[in-house]
Every structure is written in C-alpha cells, then in structure tokens.
Amino acid sequence: AGFERVASVAQLPEGALLSVTRSAGQAVCLFNHGGTIGAMADLCTHQAFPLSQGTLQPDGTVQCSWHGAKFDCRSGDVREGPAMDPIPVFEARVHDGWIWIGAAR
C-alpha cells in the first residue's frame, strides 16, 4: 500500500539517474546501480540542486554536479561534503517492468 508508479524500467538504463515527480509534487531521483533500482529525494541537502543532474559513481554514490557533495544512494548518508545532512531515500519496487515508489525510510 502507498506505492505509486513513476516510470518504466526501460527509462532507466544501468548507471543512469532519472528525475520523476510524485503525484504530491515531490521530485524524486531514481537510480540504477548495477541493476539495483532505488529512489532518493531529488535535491542536494547542501543548496537544493537537483541530484538527477549529477553523476552516479561506480561505488554506488551520487555526486552533485554543483558543488561535488556525494551521497550513498541506498542509505542517503553523506559520503563527501560540502553537504552535511543526509538525503531522504524511498522504498522502491520493480513490478511488471514498472518502477513504484513508496514511503521515505
């Protein structure tokens, strides 16, 4: 319950980031790291730049392209400053070729 379909798996190739907007208006950044699909808030906690415009690193972090802050995609934890606060991550499920996003965890 509480999951919302936001994109098809075909829209998110491995190594990609994709910005989607939930029905409530919240921007979410989807990622595909090594075939694992997940979701996090699409705003860097440093200065609110869209993380979907950053880069997904081989180590499973996303790097903000504005000031270089890095976050762990799975936990949301800061791995490199200047950001100090973690980003919210969301439950994500794949079913029948679609990506579904649930509550923040």
Side-chain angles (χ1 to χ4, degrees), residues 3-83:
F3 278 78
E4 179 178 358
R5 188 173 86 173
V6 293
S8 72
V9 174
Q11 291 173 270
L12 190 65
E14 184 169 336
L17 299 171
L18 176 68
S19 181
V20 296
T21 303
R22 298 188 70 160
S23 59
Q26 181 179 34
V28 175
C29 178
L30 303 177
F31 65 87
N32 182 341
H33 180 255
T36 298
I37 290 176
M40 60 196 148
D42 194 15
L43 285 179
C44 179
T45 57
H46 175 235
Q47 287 190 348
F49 192 78
L51 285 174
S52 58
Q53 294 182 27
T55 53
L56 185 59
Q57 304 294 316
D59 63 359
T61 60
V62 64
Q63 184 166 24
C64 180
S65 60
W66 199 4
H67 296 111
K70 278 188 181 180
F71 301 90
D72 184 299
C73 286
R74 286 175 181 78
S75 68
D77 293 338
V78 176
R79 294 291 181 238
E80 191 173 306

